[in-house]
Amino acid sequence: MFNRITRGKAVVGGLTVTGNLQQIRSVTNITDGGSMVLTTAGILGGINTATLTTARAITTPTAAALIAELGSVVGTSVKYSYINLAAFVATLTAGTGVTIVGLATTAATAGTASRWQVVVTAPTTVSIYRIA
């Protein structure tokens, strides 16, 4: 039995891996302000941070933008982390075509992190699941 990760296929000896292994490529700081946006590049980079000056909402990219990068194959997914660098609540809000599943807030404690999995749920929709 093998695990399906995302797109593509590789065979190594007796181990078969279907998909792309995600590696952390970058850390993206989301600039504090009234209109905070998590970018597709930030999600694909793997780690996002913000130093908030008050409680803020951070909006995800649209499903269309995410699907443009991930592809439209249902079940395709990628994980990313958000790290709160200040003592204010950060709330993830959904861009068009995106559904947030689970607790959308990251606690108002500096250093608190949340882990998310972005999943293509249909050719035009994405769900972002809170997994930790």
Side-chain angles (χ1 to χ4, degrees):
M1 185 170 156
F2 57 89
N3 293 321
R4 179 171 177 213
I5 301 170
T6 53
R7 296 176 279 174
K9 185 173 183 177
V11 177
V12 180
L15 172 67
T16 300
V17 177
T18 300
N20 298 321
L21 294 175
Q22 181 191 2
Q23 87 182 57
I24 302 302
R25 297 186 307 237
S26 64
V27 176
T28 302
N29 184 61
I30 305 167
T31 303
D32 182 50
S35 180
M36 297 180 70
V37 178
L38 176 63
T39 65
T40 301
I43 289 173
L44 296 176
I47 297 176
N48 296 269
T49 63
T51 305
L52 307 177
T53 56
T54 188
R56 300 275 192 205
I58 301 173
T59 305
T60 72
T62 65
L66 289 163
I67 289 169
E69 290 296 323
L70 296 173
S72 61
V73 176
V74 174
T76 298
S77 68
V78 63
K79 292 179 184 173
Y80 77 93
S81 297
Y82 168 77
I83 303 170
N84 202 356
L85 299 177
F88 297 100
V89 172
T91 303
L92 190 65
T93 60
T96 303
V98 174
T99 301
I100 307 295
V101 181
L103 182 64
T105 58
T106 300
T109 304
T112 300
S114 52
R115 187 86 170 131
W116 303 87
Q117 184 152 351
V118 179
V119 180
V120 176
T121 52
T124 59
T125 61
V126 169
S127 289
I128 300 179
Y129 294 87
R130 173 77 177 257
I131 56 176

